[in-house]
Amino acid sequence: MEWNAETLQFLSQCFLHTLSPNPEPRRRAESSLSEAADRPNYGLAVLRLVAEPSVDEQIRQSAAVNFKNHLRVRWSTEVSREPNAVTLISIPESEKEQIKTLIVPLMLSATPRIQSQLSEALSLIGKHDFPKKWPSLLPELVSSLRTASQSSDYATINGILGTANSIFKKFRYQYKTNDLLLDLKYCLDNFAAPLLEIFLKTAALIDSVVNSGGPAVAATLRPLIESQRLCCRIFYSLNFQELPEFFEDHMKEWMGEFKKYLTMRYPALEEGSGDGLAVVDELRAAVCENISLYIEKNEEEFEEYLNDFALAVWSLLTTVSASSSRDRLTITAIKFLTTVSTSVHHTLFAADNVISQICQGIVIPNVRLRDEDEELFEMNYVEFVRRDMEGSDLDTRRRIACELLKGIATNYKERVTAIVSVQIQNMLGSFATNPAVNWKDKDCAIYLVVSLATKKAGGNSVSTDLVNVESFFGSVIVPELKSQDVNGFPMLKAGALKFFTMFRNQISKPIAIALVPDVVRFLGSESNVVHSYAANCIEKLLLVKEEGGMARYTSSDISPFLPVLIGNLFNALKFPDSEENQYIMKCIMRVLGVADITREVAGPCILELTNVLAEVCKNPKNPVFNHYLFEAVAVLVRRACEKDASLISAFEGSLFPSLQTILVNDVTEFFPYAFQLLAQLVELNRPPIPPSYMQIFELLLSPDSWRKTANVPALVRLLQAFLQKAPHELNREGRLSQVLGIFERLISSHTTDEQGFYVLNTVIENLGYEVIAPYVSHIWATLFGRLQKNRTVKFVKSFLIFMSLFLVKHGSTNLVDSINAVQPNIFLVILEQFWIPNLKLITGAIELKLTSVASTRLLCESPALLDPTSVKQWGKLLDSIITLLSRPEQDRVEVEPEVLDIGETMVYAATYVPLQNAGRKEEDPLKEIKDPKEFLVASLANLSARSPGRYPQIINENLDQANQTALLQLCGTYKLPIV
């Protein structure tokens, strides 16, 4: 695309029309730009349009956004291996060089809105090219910074600092490598001194402006304060990996200014209209992050400044208001004190009354509910629950204040416990004097107990020294749970339910069961948070285990109120904003997994669940809710049919319309779930399989069904169910060829080869040898081809398991002869190169038993191994069997991550999530053999009895000493000699 008047006119018109409120011209313009983007020099032409002063500002801004997005997808393009993926044309190298030449001066001279877009574009380039492919960038930025500094042009200065901040961020997030440290050294050598220079100059200007006063102080200060914030963020990036020598040498200058910004006030900005206070707070928060970094990583060098900073931060926190606009400053400041409290300098908190003052002046004010918390509770329950119940609130005032107490308690536990306990009792006393007015005091007390509880190692139990749990529960929590008004004081009710959930292991069973009907009532609360917490409480109670591992609560415990419980759970899904409430659906799933599922329970439940499923099929948007919905259906079907097999037809009648909707309407998000449920239904049927399923079987054999990787595990699961329940169907109309075509497709890729073996194993397990014999040579040829081209440890293990299954199902002779039919005498090569060295890597009880028994049968029955010319292979195979059976898994298996082909890992696919309640029951193909060790010794004893004196020498020559000892011990254990 040449740059001329015609190009300028074309691009200007296109970008103008992209701003049109009318969809038709907007779509045409976007289509024209999309086509033009494939032409060389398109990005350069758009950048020149952005630089053209005669063009309207709005058009240039639109062009700047387009330019940034163009670089994002075309500066460095990855080639996708997805079959239908569109590969974008990369920007040519010559065009890239011209863009890099133009962008810095253009960005620095642009208006603020365009400057921000170009700064992002520059950062995108820097991510790929800086510094190695763009060595001129940093010198150009430094030169421009010094020029702008001379004229105090802070619009340009801040543009440069913003760009530097973006390109230096990689030092915070990337792993420390030699290449990264070399890049860091280059940046430090070129930018550390200019950074300190502009930082100190700006600091002096701020002092001058503050001292001079005047009406324009706020307007003058704003860009200066912003400049210092950017300097602080760059400081953070350049110091993140390790303390650079330059910064250590100039620590005094940096720390002096940092302390000033924590202690100084700037009334002209902070008390004026607009966001002046936020601008200053952002600078203070950046300083707090810097000093937190130093106390964490450079404790020794920072020590002399620590006392002053701790006092400064403490003083700052006592004056910061509860306004949400000051949250970030409060959180970063408290994090600094928390880091100090757990460091070797914790003695700062040892003085009399310090902990008490921190508790009263910092912790309690930040733990108390604010108007913003109440608003979030009422208006956005999902976010409230995410923060409060799921522990993602580490960056909230409430949680970080409690983290400070926990930090101090690591060294002063008794003092913290005593002080906080008194505070809790004071707040409960305040509540008692006027519950309606002082309810927030009680909420604060409950929150402190819950948040400061410590989790016991190796379980879900928690403990606290702040209160006696049973006493606190009885006097503080139970009255809230017994309240008949499920809608009154909802935040207190939520706190009480959370306490019950948190300390569920400590509450005795009789007390807890007596209260569950009250919790069930709260499922009817209009508050989304309250009925979510009630559902979560019930769900977690049903998971409680006694010390021996037995469930504390069983079906008989919940039977008295089961109809009300199930009714309230499904009714709760009808509350506004709770139609897809994941906590309720998870509780439904858990209840159905524990309750006694009679026909009377199953009927209404499947009706309610299919109604919900019909709704979510219209617009699936909450994957967690949807997963628990399908789990609930699966567990209901499984447990109801275990009790009454005749219910299967009723479930089919209810579920088939929903499953048909998913498949016909292409609700792709639900395909894996639908296939798993169908597999479950197939397995629950008794042969012959109803004709309705055979239509699905035909769909399953179509190659189109297997194109999406996310569907493959569920499709394999369904195919296995059909092969197991209706193997005779494979003999019709070439279906076995179709199934083996699916196997061949799956086995060819790293990502699906394991699924391919599942298909193959099921075929081998369920079909007679006379049926599969015509296909066996092709199966071996396919597997050997993959072994030659691209084998992995995972593939070889799966291959070994398949050969073992083949042997135990169809005999060692068929195994050896069919392999040798592919290539004469290839079996012994396979045995030496793959079977013997990899047998020790097998894990899993059934897999270990299968492979060891198959190996034993090969050893003692196969003419190929009993031939005198195969003595060495015989001995090595026995050695490998002994290793597998006698050594612990950790001693024989080295865990090595598979290294996948990059092309395969780049392909995006929706995650397949297995349904635990619709899982395939793993069958043992060797139920008649109880102990593989005994089977080995008995087989060897029989073999040696037929050829006395032959095998001791072979064993002595081929087994290592440890395995010879292990074999003797096995013979002694089972009292069977090898002669």
Side-chain angles (χ1 to χ4, degrees), residues 138 141 145 157-169 171-172 184 187-188 191-196 198-199 226-241 244 247 254 258 286 289-290 293:
L138 207 52
L141 289 176
L145 181 64
I157 289 169
N158 289 353
I160 296 166
L161 292 175
T163 301
N165 182 36
S166 295
I167 62 175
F168 293 157
K169 277 181 183 175
F171 299 121
R172 304 181 205 171
L184 176 58
C187 295
L188 287 165
F191 207 80
L195 178 68
L196 178 60
I198 192 65
F199 181 71
E226 171 62 11
S227 181
Q228 296 300 73
R229 184 192 72 81
L230 289 167
C231 287
C232 285
R233 299 313 290 147
I234 294 169
F235 177 98
Y236 187 84
S237 297
L238 296 180
N239 282 269
F240 189 86
Q241 295 291 338
F247 285 91
W254 284 105
F258 285 171
E289 290 199 328
N290 287 344
L293 179 70

Side-chain angles (χ1 to χ4, degrees), residues 782-946:
T782 302
L783 293 172
F784 295 164
R786 173 66 200 277
L787 270 177
Q788 280 184 310
K789 283 190 289 188
N790 210 351
R791 64 175 172 265
T792 62
V793 174
K794 181 184 74 171
F795 181 88
V796 173
K797 285 163 66 177
S798 297
F799 176 56
L800 179 47
I801 290 166
F802 166 69
M803 288 192 292
S804 299
L805 184 62
F806 190 114
L807 187 150
V808 301
K809 287 295 178 182
H810 303 299
S812 61
T813 301
N814 282 332
L815 174 73
V816 175
D817 290 351
S818 63
I819 289 178
N820 283 336
V822 178
Q823 184 179 326
N825 300 317
I826 192 68
F827 177 76
L828 287 178
V829 177
I830 297 291
L831 184 74
E832 285 190 65
Q833 292 188 9
F834 299 107
W835 194 312
I836 291 171
N838 291 290
L839 186 61
K840 66 180 181 181
L841 302 179
I842 299 299
T843 56
I846 291 177
E847 290 84 353
L848 186 148
K849 179 179 172 183
L850 171 65
T851 52
S852 64
V853 168
S855 300
T856 300
R857 286 184 56 181
L858 192 63
L859 196 72
C860 299
E861 298 172 12
S862 172
L865 267 293
L866 295 174
D867 190 283
T869 60
S870 302
V871 166
K872 186 175 180 184
Q873 289 95 330
W874 191 96
K876 291 302 177 189
L877 179 58
L878 177 59
D879 189 56
S880 203
I881 297 170
I882 300 294
T883 298
L884 179 68
L885 291 176
S886 66
R887 298 189 192 178
E889 188 176 304
Q890 64 268 24
D891 290 350
R892 57 185 172 79
V893 179
E894 291 182 15
V895 180
E896 291 186 18
E898 297 285 355
V899 181
L900 297 184
D901 182 271
I902 276 296
E904 291 183 1
T905 60
M906 291 301 293
V907 176
Y908 170 78
T911 306
Y912 160 77
V913 184
L915 292 172
Q916 299 302 317
N917 290 293
R920 183 171 184 258
K921 190 176 180 182
E922 197 171 10
E923 295 287 342
D924 181 357
L926 293 165
K927 294 187 184 74
E928 71 279 6
I929 297 174
K930 303 301 180 190
D931 184 351
K933 295 178 182 178
E934 184 178 9
F935 181 80
L936 170 67
V937 174
S939 299
L940 287 173
N942 289 334
L943 180 65
S944 66
R946 296 200 302 270

Side-chain angles (χ1 to χ4, degrees), residues 183-249:
D183 288 353
L184 176 58
K185 183 180 185 307
Y186 170 79
C187 295
L188 287 165
D189 290 345
N190 285 274
F191 207 80
L195 178 68
L196 178 60
E197 192 179 301
I198 192 65
F199 181 71
L200 294 176
K201 174 180 176 169
T202 308
L205 280 174
I206 290 172
D207 293 343
S208 174
V209 171
V210 169
N211 292 331
S212 66
V217 170
T220 309
L221 273 180
R222 176 185 289 272
L224 301 178
I225 296 290
E226 171 62 11
S227 181
Q228 296 300 73
R229 184 192 72 81
L230 289 167
C231 287
C232 285
R233 299 313 290 147
I234 294 169
F235 177 98
Y236 187 84
S237 297
L238 296 180
N239 282 269
F240 189 86
Q241 295 291 338
E242 53 190 35
L243 177 60
E245 186 179 345
F246 180 88
F247 285 91
E248 185 175 0
D249 292 343

Side-chain angles (χ1 to χ4, degrees), residues 225-521:
I225 296 290
E226 171 62 11
S227 181
Q228 296 300 73
R229 184 192 72 81
L230 289 167
C231 287
C232 285
R233 299 313 290 147
I234 294 169
F235 177 98
Y236 187 84
S237 297
L238 296 180
N239 282 269
F240 189 86
Q241 295 291 338
E242 53 190 35
L243 177 60
E245 186 179 345
F246 180 88
F247 285 91
E248 185 175 0
D249 292 343
H250 295 276
M251 195 180 293
K252 187 174 182 181
E253 293 102 307
W254 284 105
M255 295 304 151
E257 294 303 320
F258 285 171
K259 182 186 168 188
K260 186 199 299 179
Y261 298 133
L262 294 179
T263 54
M264 281 277 292
R265 295 190 71 252
Y266 302 94
L269 264 183
E270 296 182 53
E271 296 171 9
S273 57
D275 62 346
L277 177 60
V279 171
V280 179
D281 277 356
E282 283 295 316
L283 170 58
R284 290 171 178 148
V287 168
C288 287
E289 290 199 328
N290 287 344
I291 59 177
S292 290
L293 179 70
Y294 265 50
I295 186 64
E296 284 174 16
K297 297 196 171 190
N298 310 310
E299 200 171 316
E300 186 180 334
E301 295 84 356
F302 185 64
E303 184 176 1
E304 65 176 282
Y305 306 100
L306 181 58
N307 276 5
D308 287 346
F309 275 113
L311 288 171
V313 170
W314 184 356
S315 301
L316 181 65
L317 282 168
T318 58
T319 61
V320 172
S321 69
S323 168
S324 61
S325 64
R326 310 199 76 181
D327 281 359
R328 182 164 180 269
L329 171 61
T330 303
I331 290 162
T332 52
I334 294 177
K335 277 184 178 178
F336 170 72
L337 290 183
T338 305
T339 306
V340 175
S341 72
T342 56
S343 73
V344 295
H345 305 289
H346 59 78
T347 50
L348 291 172
F349 299 91
D352 291 343
N353 297 325
V354 167
I355 298 174
S356 179
Q357 289 173 30
I358 286 175
C359 190
Q360 292 176 9
I362 296 175
V363 175
I364 300 298
N366 284 295
V367 169
R368 284 185 64 83
L369 284 171
R370 299 174 298 162
D371 292 343
E372 290 87 347
D373 300 315
E374 293 183 70
E375 185 178 331
L376 188 68
F377 183 94
E378 293 170 9
M379 305 301 292
N380 189 352
Y381 88 93
V382 174
E383 179 61 18
F384 182 91
V385 173
R386 189 181 70 83
R387 291 182 183 181
D388 187 56
M389 187 163 71
E390 296 181 3
S392 64
D393 61 341
L394 194 59
D395 282 341
T396 64
R397 288 188 183 218
R398 296 192 96 188
R399 177 58 64 90
I400 203 67
C402 290
E403 291 301 311
L404 173 58
L405 276 185
K406 285 182 181 178
I408 298 171
T410 55
N411 294 292
Y412 306 101
K413 184 175 181 179
E414 290 181 4
R415 288 166 63 182
V416 169
T417 300
I419 291 165
V420 176
S421 296
V422 170
Q423 291 287 336
I424 288 170
Q425 294 308 317
N426 290 343
M427 287 186 282
L428 292 175
S430 168
F431 168 78
T433 60
N434 193 337
V437 173
N438 298 335
W439 65 271
K440 288 185 182 180
D441 288 335
K442 184 173 184 178
D443 173 87
C444 189
I446 295 172
Y447 186 89
L448 280 170
V449 176
V450 169
S451 297
L452 295 174
T454 53
K455 201 168 187 176
K456 292 182 180 176
N460 293 315
S461 293
V462 294
S463 62
T464 180
D465 296 319
L466 294 173
V467 295
N468 177 287
V469 171
E470 286 189 14
S471 171
F472 189 87
F473 185 73
S475 61
V476 178
I477 304 301
V478 170
E480 296 300 330
L481 299 178
K482 287 289 185 183
S483 168
Q484 294 306 299
D485 182 4
V486 295
N487 295 314
F489 296 101
M491 297 192 87
L492 265 185
K493 302 296 188 294
L497 288 164
K498 185 180 176 185
F499 185 96
F500 191 4
T501 307
M502 176 76 79
F503 291 95
R504 60 191 178 276
N505 285 287
Q506 283 94 315
I507 310 301
S508 66
K509 181 174 178 177
I511 293 173
I513 280 293
L515 286 167
V516 170
D518 293 301
V519 178
V520 172
R521 280 190 304 108

